[in-house]
Amino acid sequence: MKILRDTWLVYSRAMLLNLKQPVWLIVMLIQPIYFLFLFAPLLEPMDGMPGFEEGAMETFVPGLIIMMALFGSAFVGFGLIAELRQGVIERMRVTPVSRIALMLGRTLAAVTSTVFQALALVLLAALTGRLDVYWPGVGLMLLIVLLTGFMLAAVSLGLAIVLKSEDAMAPTINTLVQPIMLISGIMLPMVMAPSWLQNVAEFNPFYYAVEAARALFSGDLGSDYVWQATAFIGGLAVLLVWWATRRFARAVA
């Protein structure tokens, strides 16, 4: 099928560019490492407290992985802005490559990088000896990470097509990401928050992604948060990928 073949070609090119310039991938892994070694130890006295019943590290690391997906995927649009400025997108107008594939290939490349970074962080946390890892749950958790990264990468690429400027892109992304992160329970479980803030968090799909990641990480495969996160994040991913693909198709039409 032409779309699949074209998607693979665009994906391969994007991954090759990532491998040639891996600095961005390394930088996006360093920040979670800082949190892992400089912030997580502060939570160890909270083992057994509400929200930390499974352990401090077992609670914090899954949230950290969702944060990695949040920030790692939300900023991929900056690369597309550079390609717009260099005329790469303009030259694509005369190619027979599917316009949908041009978008999907880039999105899949961003998601692949995020999943590998998440897996590297889990392995690193496990090597510290302070974390009990339920690997089947981690495998399912990476599917949540994949959906999260796919959705955010699509949003980032769509915004890049609309804004066409790093000066506009940076504050827009930060304005969107910061409140999402703060009311998702990434840093601390929302059970510790006042009731009004917990009520607000229930409207944040990333709250369900964080709780699902924690449930899967601890081996609770039947948690309601798992199907809720899959439904909310999956539904939003389909909707936002459709929107971003339309924006991208118009840009290179």
Side-chain angles (χ1 to χ4, degrees):
M1 189 175 180
K2 186 177 185 300
I3 290 180
L4 293 178
R5 184 176 66 252
D6 290 348
T7 299
W8 172 254
L9 291 174
V10 175
Y11 170 80
S12 300
R13 175 183 176 274
M15 288 302 299
L16 183 61
L17 291 175
N18 286 340
L19 293 174
K20 286 183 176 179
Q21 295 181 332
V23 175
W24 178 249
L25 300 179
I26 295 171
V27 168
M28 291 308 299
L29 183 59
I30 286 176
Q31 184 182 23
I33 288 175
Y34 287 157
F35 279 102
L36 182 63
F37 288 101
L38 303 180
F39 182 80
L42 301 177
L43 301 177
E44 290 184 358
M46 305 180 74
D47 275 354
M49 293 180 61
F52 292 93
E53 292 86 356
E54 301 296 333
M57 290 291 286
E58 288 76 7
T59 299
F60 182 66
V61 171
L64 196 58
I65 290 171
I66 297 298
M67 185 181 77
M68 181 185 294
L70 187 63
F71 282 95
S73 300
F75 288 90
V76 298
F78 285 93
L80 181 58
I81 292 175
E83 290 188 342
L84 285 167
R85 185 179 297 109
Q86 295 164 6
V88 175
I89 303 302
E90 184 68 24
R91 291 194 292 273
M92 288 179 178
R93 292 176 185 270
V94 298
T95 66
V97 177
S98 165
R99 290 353 185 195
I100 296 175
L102 291 172
M103 172 68 189
L104 292 179
R106 285 174 168 80
T107 305
L108 286 171
V111 170
T112 300
S113 299
T114 299
V115 169
F116 274 110
Q117 287 171 314
L119 185 57
L121 183 64
V122 173
L123 292 172
L124 185 60
L127 290 175
T128 65
R130 296 180 294 161
L131 178 70
D132 292 327
V133 181
Y134 179 70
W135 290 107
V138 169
L140 292 174
M141 181 190 68
L142 290 177
L143 295 178
I144 301 293
V145 172
L146 187 149
L147 283 176
T148 303
F150 204 86
M151 178 183 69
L152 289 168
V155 170
S156 183
L157 292 170
L159 286 175
I161 288 291
V162 173
L163 299 175
K164 299 182 177 65
S165 166
E166 291 92 345
D167 292 336
M169 184 77 167
T172 301
I173 291 295
N174 282 323
T175 299
L176 292 173
V177 168
Q178 291 296 335
I180 286 174
M181 184 189 74
L182 292 173
I183 59 173
S184 65
I186 283 176
M187 304 302 296
L188 294 170
M190 291 306 297
V191 70
M192 304 178 68
S195 58
W196 69 267
L197 195 54
Q198 293 183 37
N199 293 333
V200 172
E202 291 180 356
F203 293 93
N204 179 7
F206 292 93
Y207 162 72
Y208 298 95
V210 171
E211 293 299 325
R214 286 174 177 152
L216 292 170
F217 205 85
S218 65
D220 185 7
L221 307 185
S223 171
D224 287 342
Y225 287 117
V226 175
W227 71 262
Q228 289 170 346
T230 303
F232 295 152
I233 299 294
L236 281 173
V238 171
L239 178 63
L240 293 171
V241 167
W242 172 81
W243 168 78
T245 301
R246 285 178 58 86
R247 300 302 309 182
F248 202 93
R250 290 178 183 178
V252 297

